[in-house]
Amino acid sequence: MSTNRQAGASSPWRAPILFAILALLIILEGSWRSALFSGSWNTALAILNMGLISAITALGVNMQWGYAGLFNVGVVGFLALGGLAPVLVSLPPVEGGWAAGGPRVLVALASGLGTLALAVVLWRKLAKSWLRGLVVLAVLIAGFVLYRELFDPAVTAIEANQSARYGNLGGLGWPVLLSWPVGGLFAAAAAWGVGKVALGLRSDYLAIATLGIGEIIVAVLKNEEWLARGVKNITSIPRPVGYEIQLQQNPEFQQAAANWGFPVAEASGIWVKLSYMSLFLVVLLVLILLAELALKSPWGRMMRAIRDNETAAEAMGKNVTNRHLQVFVIGSAVIGIAGAMMITLDGLMAPTGYNPLRYTFLIWVMVIVGGSGNNWGAVLGAVLIWFLWIKAEAWGPQLMSLLTSPLPDGGLKSHLMSSAAHMRFIAMGAVLLLVLRFAPRGLVPEK
Amino acid sequence: MDILNALVAFLNFVFIPAAAYGAQLALGALGVTLIYGILRFSNFAHGDTMAFGTAATILATWGLQGLGITAGPLPTALLALPVGIAVTAAVVLGTDRIVYRFYRARRAAPIILVMASVGVMFVMNGLTRMLPGIGVNEIRFADGARFVIEVRSFREWSGLTEGLALKTTQALTLVVAVLVVWALFRFLNRTKSGKAMRAYSDNEDLALLSGIDPERVVRLTWIIAAALMTIAGTLYGLDKSFKAFNYFQILLPIFAAAIVGGLGNPLGAIAGGFVVAFSEVAVTYPWVKVAGYLFPGWQPDGLLQLLSTEYKFAVSFVILIIVLLFKPTGLFSGKSV
């Protein structure tokens, strides 16, 4: 692999043509009912909306990988952490939940963080001797005991409060759109912690550390019921857009639907999805604008210089580790925003759904296929791969029945048919390997 | 008497499970560290390749059981292991030929190889799920005698209130791990090929100059790694149960073990495996029972459990962080950072 990813030029028409093909695929999905496409605009828009969220996630990953060459394997964790924001910001507070132990939980968390900070300060300030290790260890143990003493009763009290319906703290009751930047902040804070430890070491170490933090964040969301009810899930997160049922009862909307020639139920679904789509598009375009501006600025040139030759950049007086930390935090914040948007779209916080294969590695396939280092490439790759991932569920069995049609009916054929669903993983792995080897610069290469 | 009871409870709930788990992690970490030492990248496909090897072994086990062949009191999977290892080695050599060799020839950055291993991970995951009878199910394939020491007979024999159980799979894990490690170290230290591998790991250019065939070293590494992965995966599956996703999750403790010991250092991988396993079990075990025997007058109101078992992965992560902060080359000084 060449060290300079900017070598060679490609046709300026490449990106527009690929985006046109993508648009055509989505229009076909919406309008042509056939063996390959569903012909339902609701399905097409649902795929597109999730595709746009994937595009924002891919944008964040692309900042880390494309700008700086950082391999983040904990995307799922940062997405999940961002998804916590709509729960904590937009839900109404649970009655009695805060009184049961809210302040105490906050004090406990503060004491935990304070212990860590104190340990770090002591480690730096004290002279290097065997005593230093003992003192820091004692501080950590005492802090942990204090933290558990404060934390456990508070959590028990909160979870006992209306445990069948709530058992959590609830949120602040603010507008749900506010939770999107908050989700970004959550993810950025976690990224700062991980980056501080793992950056500046071998490049594999960041990958392994992010793998760990990803699993831990998901485990926290699954188990801390006071926070977001854990595996009991949170439903009914408020929407930033209208509800289908209200639209269906609105006489003006009924009239408009009749004019378009859609049944009211279908039209209301399409309307809601279109409203989500416009919100997502605004966020996506703003982020791309900012990212492009940053990339063209001196800062962006510096980042690419660091990526292409760390030693040379360091010799020029650039603090490589700090710049890496910066871009890692920014990229994770973008992933966190996408996570908050995803939970807003679903209206449901279900931590068991955060599967790393789907939310970390699929995003990576999107970035690599789209063209690492190119923001439009990441967007294209995200929507395209998401479309194919969804459609592969339907196309896989069809392809398999076509391939196995010459076989006699029996055990082998039925086995192959039933395993067609797992073909998606093999197909995605093969796509990643093929692109990495034969077109390492992706569909839309970096300019 | 109470001290003996405390000791037996400790052995039963902490020491034996942690030792067995540690041996499984150590075998996994040995594979990671060997691949890192020779091929110089962290293999993310390790967990899923372990799952594949275990699945192949399970299929061979079912075949043997269908023929009416069993290993008596031992699990039949032990007899099926060579088949599983051979299949896994073939698959792994195939992936090296198709995927990794290209990047090695171009001396690509390690992170590109890591990424390629993610692609391999996807393919392995899909392959494992497609094997007949495997899918996403949870499979228990341990047969033969379940226990070496049973709780009831131990109580009757010793007259203690606490019972001690030693599962066949746990005893087997330890015995097999010791044998495998002994064979591996003998191979690395005494044979010409093993010395060639160590030379290649120490200094690639110097090894090439002394006439070592790099492709042969790489092939050997993959075959040994495939054997280690299959054995580790099968032992883990026998001890707990087989579920493909669990093998993806065990990747983190395995990496932690390899890094704690020092990446590229086989001795470190073994130590790291036990460090991670013992901390994980000790931190998530409710100590109230042991404390009750040791301090009869003390009635703690909690379970004396530091972390709930759901957070066991947090333990490997914290150990990893501590090592990265204070000694990034690991306890046994692995390759440079």
Side-chain angles (χ1 to χ4, degrees), chain B residues 50-81:
Chain B
M50 274 169 69
F52 178 82
T54 314
T57 311
I58 292 176
L59 291 185
T61 309
W62 287 343
L64 286 176
Q65 285 168 340
L67 294 172
I69 303 171
T70 58
L74 295 175
T76 312
L78 217 52
L79 293 177
L81 259 180

Side-chain angles (χ1 to χ4, degrees), chain A residues 382-395:
Chain A
V383 184
L384 183 67
I385 292 292
W386 178 245
F387 184 83
L388 294 178
W389 178 256
I390 292 291
K391 292 312 285 181
E393 208 167 12
W395 292 349

Side-chain angles (χ1 to χ4, degrees), chain A residues 148 202 204 224 415 437, chain B residues 36 42 98 130 306 310-311:
Chain A
R148 287 291 296 264
R202 273 192 57 92
D204 315 31
E224 298 302 319
H415 169 66
R437 168 140 180 195
Chain B
Y36 186 89
S42 313
I98 300 172
M130 278 181 74
L306 292 175
E310 287 86 2
Y311 290 128

Side-chain angles (χ1 to χ4, degrees), chain A residues 29 34-39 43 47 385-402 417 419-424 428:
Chain A
E29 173 72 23
S34 64
L36 291 181
F37 298 103
S38 68
T43 317
I47 297 179
I385 292 292
W386 178 245
F387 184 83
L388 294 178
W389 178 256
I390 292 291
K391 292 312 285 181
E393 208 167 12
W395 292 349
Q398 288 176 10
L399 181 72
M400 202 49 119
S401 69
L402 193 70
M417 283 302 297
S419 57
H422 306 312
M423 289 283 283
R424 292 209 284 187
M428 282 303 145

Side-chain angles (χ1 to χ4, degrees), chain B:
Chain B
M1 224 38 174
D2 274 351
I3 290 180
L4 275 184
N5 270 322
L7 185 68
V8 169
F10 171 77
L11 281 177
N12 192 23
F13 293 108
V14 179
F15 189 84
I16 293 176
Y21 181 46
Q24 290 148 12
L25 284 187
L27 290 179
L30 266 177
V32 164
T33 228
L34 269 185
I35 292 175
Y36 186 89
I38 305 286
L39 296 144
R40 299 185 162 77
F41 73 98
S42 313
N43 182 16
F44 270 73
H46 207 86
D48 282 295
T49 313
M50 274 169 69
F52 178 82
T54 314
T57 311
I58 292 176
L59 291 185
T61 309
W62 287 343
L64 286 176
Q65 285 168 340
L67 294 172
I69 303 171
T70 58
L74 295 175
T76 312
L78 217 52
L79 293 177
L81 259 180
V83 182
I85 291 175
V87 172
T88 314
V91 169
V92 160
L93 284 175
T95 55
D96 181 71
R97 178 73 186 71
I98 300 172
V99 181
Y100 299 118
R101 200 169 78 162
F102 170 77
Y103 300 105
R104 195 162 58 241
R106 301 181 118 200
R107 296 200 169 221
I111 205 72
I112 302 292
L113 280 156
V114 172
M115 206 165 269
S117 80
V118 168
V120 174
M121 179 186 89
F122 259 104
V123 175
M124 281 289 180
N125 188 299
L127 271 182
T128 312
R129 289 157 178 246
M130 278 181 74
L131 290 174
I134 303 291
V136 288
N137 313 319
E138 187 162 346
I139 300 170
R140 291 181 189 283
F141 58 104
D143 53 0
R146 255 176 73 66
F147 291 101
V148 178
I149 302 174
E150 266 185 292
V151 171
R152 186 201 294 239
S153 53
F154 177 82
R155 272 203 202 120
E156 281 165 6
W157 171 79
S158 65
L160 293 170
T161 25
E162 275 302 313
L164 182 72
L166 177 63
K167 286 197 286 181
T168 316
T169 53
Q170 291 169 331
L172 191 69
T173 298
L174 290 169
V175 172
V176 170
V178 168
L179 286 178
V180 166
V181 168
W182 174 79
L184 179 69
F185 275 80
R186 213 177 148 77
F187 170 79
L188 286 179
N189 292 329
R190 300 283 175 82
T191 65
K192 205 165 179 193
S193 310
K195 284 178 186 166
M197 275 177 66
R198 285 194 300 142
Y200 187 86
S201 161
D202 268 353
N203 188 331
E204 198 177 330
D205 296 327
L206 214 55
L208 292 179
L209 278 177
S210 12
I212 289 171
D213 176 8
E215 286 304 309
R216 189 166 170 274
V217 168
V218 167
R219 270 199 306 276
L220 259 179
T221 312
W222 279 118
I223 292 172
I224 295 173
L228 286 169
M229 287 192 265
T230 312
I231 294 172
T234 305
L235 291 175
Y236 182 74
L238 280 173
D239 196 11
K240 312 241 157 62
S241 66
F242 175 82
K243 199 175 173 211
F245 188 66
N246 291 351
Y247 283 77
F248 170 76
Q249 288 199 315
I250 201 183
L251 196 60
L252 180 64
I254 286 181
F255 273 142
I259 292 181
V260 166
L263 266 178
N265 184 330
L267 202 64
I270 297 168
F274 285 102
V275 167
V276 168
F278 271 90
S279 344
E280 209 170 88
V281 176
V283 167
T284 53
Y285 173 68
W287 288 94
V288 65
K289 197 178 209 174
V290 176
Y293 285 119
L294 289 180
F295 312 104
W298 184 36
Q299 289 292 326
D301 41 337
L303 286 171
L304 298 184
Q305 186 183 18
L306 292 175
L307 272 180
S308 71
T309 37
E310 287 86 2
Y311 290 128
K312 60 180 182 190
F313 290 112
V315 181
S316 11
F317 183 72
V318 170
I319 297 176
L320 183 69
I321 292 291
I322 293 172
V323 169
L324 287 189
L325 278 178
F326 297 110
K327 209 162 185 314
T329 49
L331 300 176
F332 287 74
S333 303
K335 291 212 166 293
S336 65
V337 212

Side-chain angles (χ1 to χ4, degrees), chain A residues 121-312:
Chain A
V121 168
L122 283 176
W123 184 263
R124 290 211 180 125
K125 288 278 152 86
L126 292 180
K128 198 172 179 179
S129 75
W130 57 272
L131 197 64
R132 177 173 77 162
L134 277 187
V135 168
V136 170
L137 192 67
V139 165
L140 284 175
I141 291 174
F144 184 75
V145 171
L146 176 73
Y147 163 75
R148 287 291 296 264
E149 284 295 315
L150 287 167
F151 188 70
D152 290 356
V155 166
T156 315
I158 293 172
E159 286 175 2
N161 172 43
Q162 306 177 60
S163 62
R165 278 193 67 196
Y166 299 109
N168 62 331
L169 278 178
L172 298 168
W174 291 351
V176 70
L177 282 182
L178 269 181
S179 73
W180 295 3
V182 174
L185 283 180
F186 283 179
W192 185 83
V194 181
K196 200 76 187 150
V197 176
L199 284 171
L201 300 172
R202 273 192 57 92
S203 50
D204 315 31
Y205 283 5
L206 179 76
I208 294 167
T210 48
L211 178 77
I213 195 76
E215 293 205 10
I216 288 169
I217 291 174
V218 174
V220 167
L221 284 184
K222 277 184 190 163
N223 293 302
E224 298 302 319
E225 293 187 1
W226 59 274
L227 194 62
R229 300 199 73 211
V231 288
K232 293 177 185 164
N233 299 350
I234 292 241
T235 50
S236 71
I237 289 166
R239 278 189 185 176
V241 299
Y243 284 82
E244 284 91 345
I245 202 84
Q246 292 166 353
L247 285 174
Q248 286 163 19
Q249 286 157 359
N250 182 346
E252 278 175 50
F253 186 80
Q254 289 169 351
Q255 186 60 40
N259 288 345
W260 292 340
F262 280 106
V264 179
E266 198 186 333
S268 63
I270 294 175
W271 181 256
V272 169
K273 290 191 178 74
L274 280 176
S275 333
Y276 270 121
M277 189 184 80
S278 20
L279 278 176
F280 294 165
L281 272 178
V282 168
V283 176
L284 180 66
L285 291 176
V286 167
L287 285 175
I288 287 193
L289 178 72
L290 292 176
E292 287 287 315
L293 286 177
L295 203 57
K296 291 202 169 62
S297 69
W299 181 84
R301 280 198 297 277
M302 174 181 66
M303 292 312 301
R304 276 175 294 165
I306 292 177
R307 180 196 68 193
D308 289 340
N309 193 335
E310 278 186 25
T311 323

